[in-house]
Amino acid sequence: MIEKEPAINWTIDLYGRRGQLERQFWEIRDCVNRIVASLASKRNAIAKLEQINARQTKVAAEDAYKALERVVKELLTIERGKRKLSIESTLIVATLIDSVEKFEVLAAVSKENANELGVSAGDCINLQNEASQLIQELNDRSGSLNKECEAVLKVKKQTDDDFSMYQDKEENLRDRPDSAEDSQSVGNCIPDFGQKLTSQQDFGNKLIGFFDSDTEDKLDEAVDASKKRLNENLAHQKESRDKAATYYQLAMFCKNGIAALMDLKNNLEPIATGFSIEYGRVTTAQGVENKLWEGLERLKSNIWSTDFTSTRGNSLGLILQLLVADNEVFHCQLFFEDTKTRIKESIRSKIGANAVEKLLVHIPSKTLGDFVL
């Protein structure tokens, strides 16, 4: 999963935060792509495993069922269902041994298949969990980024308000090149021509006073101060405008990031579902393999004993029960269907039309005693 790192404070390092968000997006996108690719890879691996398992099972099953058919043929030579299979029944014993050995091979193949499918099922559930965790992380990151976007837009609005304020002041500064204080200081230097002058000399003195160096310096200072205030205002406007543009870019970057994260989430959700479906399918296949293996083990334990005391009825009943269980694995396979049909028909022709049904109803068990048919 993606490594967590402290978020860079965008109010201090705006471009640093943007670079961090971009880097994190590419990291999480690579993670999503890896999980998406893993589903196809896992499906291919499972399909290949199932093909290999099917071939191995088919070879072992054909050998086992040929032997099983021979066992049924020998069992049906016994006239009474209660009669025990004994060591003295040399041909039957030899046939049983051969059949059980073949079923031991089939059981081993089935067990190995179940184990391999179990590993694949574990891989699927692990990948599903990883996908689900990443979906939650995408939701969390989207929510966090949305809050950050709202905060950026709030600061941008304040910056826009500052820009408007400086614009309003600019108009004032251009219309009034000097402040009231500066105007007053200059006005104090202007002669009052309305005042009665006693002589031409007085008038001249007033004019000289107006144009003396001190007055000129004050006027220059007033103009410079006015220009300075205007320039500062324009600088504040540019700063506010640039900040607002940068904040807007970051906000749009956040919004685009949220949309991109949601796209990744939409791509990932069906992948998580796919892993769940694959897990269910594999565990079902594993259950079938386990059921076959358990059935084979029951058959072995009942027939493959030291004194071969199992009766014909019990043995035939177990064989039919095994065929029912195996039907989930070998259904629609011509060899199995043909073998199953031949076994059932041979039992019916020897024991009776309803023999198969009766044997299936009475589940053989040592705890129930010997079933006679």
Side-chain angles (χ1 to χ4, degrees), residues 163-182:
F163 176 74
S164 298
M165 178 189 70
Y166 288 124
Q167 275 191 317
D168 294 340
K169 285 185 177 182
E170 178 194 355
E171 185 178 354
N172 224 8
L173 290 171
R174 290 186 184 279
D175 289 344
R176 298 175 60 191
D178 212 348
S179 66
E181 182 179 352
D182 292 329

Side-chain angles (χ1 to χ4, degrees), residues 25-120:
F25 172 78
W26 294 124
E27 288 175 357
I28 200 168
R29 189 203 64 170
D30 290 344
C31 190
V32 169
N33 288 343
R34 177 181 60 79
I35 294 178
V36 169
S38 67
L39 176 60
S41 176
K42 180 52 63 178
R43 279 176 171 165
N44 290 337
I46 290 173
K48 185 176 181 180
L49 174 63
E50 289 176 330
Q51 289 174 359
I52 293 172
N53 290 350
R55 285 197 299 270
Q56 292 176 338
T57 301
K58 184 175 185 295
V59 171
E62 287 181 353
D63 288 344
Y65 279 92
K66 286 177 182 177
L68 185 65
E69 194 171 5
R70 290 195 295 271
V71 169
V72 171
K73 181 180 178 181
E74 294 301 327
L75 287 171
L76 291 176
T77 62
I78 301 173
E79 294 301 325
R80 295 190 58 201
K82 194 173 181 179
R83 182 176 174 181
K84 304 286 184 179
L85 307 182
S86 67
I87 288 291
E88 297 173 358
S89 308
T90 307
L91 181 59
I92 295 179
V93 171
T95 306
L96 282 168
I97 291 174
D98 178 64
S99 176
V100 171
E101 286 176 349
K102 295 292 193 303
F103 271 94
E104 283 179 340
V105 173
L106 178 56
V109 169
S110 185
K111 184 177 181 180
E112 181 63 23
N113 291 349
N115 290 339
E116 291 176 345
L117 288 170
V119 172
S120 295

Side-chain angles (χ1 to χ4, degrees), residues 114-178:
N115 290 339
E116 291 176 345
L117 288 170
V119 172
S120 295
D123 291 342
C124 286
I125 200 63
N126 288 336
L127 289 167
Q128 181 195 3
N129 290 338
E130 188 176 353
S132 299
Q133 289 172 8
L134 189 53
I135 289 172
Q136 183 58 51
E137 185 168 346
L138 287 167
N139 284 330
D140 293 342
R141 286 177 181 263
S142 297
S144 177
L145 203 54
N146 186 60
K147 290 180 181 178
E148 189 167 336
C149 181
E150 291 175 353
V152 172
L153 289 175
K154 184 177 180 180
V155 174
K156 178 188 176 297
K157 184 181 182 306
Q158 180 61 50
T159 308
D160 289 337
D161 293 342
D162 292 343
F163 176 74
S164 298
M165 178 189 70
Y166 288 124
Q167 275 191 317
D168 294 340
K169 285 185 177 182
E170 178 194 355
E171 185 178 354
N172 224 8
L173 290 171
R174 290 186 184 279
D175 289 344
R176 298 175 60 191
D178 212 348

Side-chain angles (χ1 to χ4, degrees), residues 344-357:
K344 288 183 176 181
E345 288 303 316
S346 62
I347 291 173
R348 289 189 178 105
S349 63
K350 177 66 177 180
I351 303 176
N354 297 325
V356 171
E357 289 71 20

